[in-house]
Structures are given as structure tokens and as C-alpha cells.
Amino acid sequence: AQSVTQLDSQVPVFEEAPVELRCNYSSSVSVYLFWYVQYPNQGLQLLLKYLSGSTLVKGINGFEAEFNKSQTSFHLRKPSVHISDTAEYFCAALKYNFNKFYFGSGTKLNVKP
Amino acid sequence: DGGITQSPKYLFRKEGQNVTLSCEQNLNHDAMYWYRQDPGQGLRLIYYSQIVNDFQKGDIAEGYSVSREKKESFPLTVTSAQKNPTAFYLCASSIEGVTEAFFGQGTRLTVV
């Protein structure tokens, strides 16, 4: 069965420090992969997506992610975080030509001054 | 601007009453989805629709119903059979099977 695992439910980090949010997916077939950000009481906003091609994907707000097929991972990184990055982040997978998205349980990033 | 509109943003209902959440999109997307979000549980799929007049149950469909009479609209009814309806509900849409999902701003339903 398809599933997405976010290994950390909460990640505290100081402002201007680097951060990595981890995501692993399980699939016997190829998938598209996404990272979303959610601010309190709002919908999800797309940060970046991997469809094909280069395994290093750059997104908005200085975030990037690397697709690693052998490790079935799609970790999100940012070299220097800001207070405004405090939010919940969701990893998601979509099987090719299917309409069902699989979401991780979310990671709350708390950036401290 | 194209997007997805959910209304209302906040909704209060008495226990035992049915309530309908609105979701409208002007992105010309074929696929539409309803998710429920509870603290610490991520997003759980309630129903999805790939085309007008067709929809499929997701992982937690019990106590919910939907309709898809128009491409732009995918309303969700929370019935009195739903045991614990208080939650944040998110509607999304996508081009069938090949791109990311676009989300509305959500409706927070509180049943008292």
C-alpha cells in the first residue's frame, strides 16, 4: 500500500539555522512528490514538486528538496530559516495517472528567535 | 484570479443537524477532493471525484455525502451519522492524475 511517512512531528530550530524535514514514501511504482506548507487556519500552499528530471528541486521561500529513489526519500531543506517559516509542512505523493494523493502526518516547524 | 473557494470559513451547528460545506473552483480541474484534518493526524481523504456525476469514497467516508452536478462545484454534507464531526475541512482540486492539488482555505466546523 502507498504511504508517506514524515519522521518528525515537531522540529524546533533557531532563526538563521539550517533545517531538514524528513519524508519517506513507499511505493512499488513511480510517483510524483510534493511538499506543502500550512499556516494556522489556512489551506495548504505548494512549496515545491518533483515530477521528473533533476533530483534536486527548488521551491518558493528558499526551500529545496532532493528526490532519492534508492532510499525512497524526499527530504525538505532550507539553509537558513526565518521566524516566518514557522508553520506545518506536509509531504505528499501521487501515483502516476492516479487521482489519489497520499499525505504524511505533517511536521510542525517552530523557528525560535 | 483562478482558485478554490470554500465557504463559510467558520461554521457552528448543533449536534444531530446535517450541514453542507461549499467548495467551488474556477481552475477547470476535473478532479476534486475533500479532506478532513484533525490535530496530529494529517489529512484524511473523505471523498473524491474525477468527473461530473461520479465520485468515490475515500478512507473515512462514513457519515459524509457529496455530489458533483457541475464541474466547478463539489459540496460536502456532514450528516448526523458522523460521530465526531468537529474538524477542519479542506477542499482541493487537480488536473487529473498529473499535477499537484490546489487547496481552498478550509472550513472549520464546530458541532456543539
Side-chain angles (χ1 to χ4, degrees), chain A residues 37-45 86-90 108, chain B residues 4 6-12 37-39 43 86-91 103-110:
Chain A
V37 60
Q38 184 182 34
Y39 300 101
N41 290 314
Q42 293 189 24
L44 275 65
Q45 178 186 358
T86 295
E88 190 160 18
Y89 293 80
F90 290 93
K108 290 186 177 178
Chain B
I4 299 177
Q6 289 187 241
S7 60
K9 189 166 178 65
Y10 298 96
L11 190 55
F12 295 87
Q37 188 176 22
D38 297 282
L43 277 69
T86 293
F88 191 54
Y89 291 88
L90 287 162
C91 179
F103 283 83
Q105 290 300 295
T107 293
R108 185 165 296 281
L109 173 64
T110 303

Side-chain angles (χ1 to χ4, degrees), chain B residues 84-99:
Chain B
N84 185 19
T86 293
F88 191 54
Y89 291 88
L90 287 162
C91 179
S93 71
S94 73
I95 297 174
E96 187 173 349
V98 294
T99 70

Side-chain angles (χ1 to χ4, degrees), chain B residues 71-88:
Chain B
K71 188 175 185 178
E72 303 79 21
S73 179
F74 192 42
L76 173 74
T77 297
V78 184
T79 74
S80 56
Q82 168 51 233
K83 300 298 182 190
N84 185 19
T86 293
F88 191 54

Side-chain angles (χ1 to χ4, degrees), chain A residues 94-107:
Chain A
L94 172 68
K95 275 188 182 180
Y96 288 169
N97 295 322
F98 281 79
N99 269 322
K100 195 171 180 182
F101 291 84
Y102 297 87
F103 285 87
S105 56
T107 298

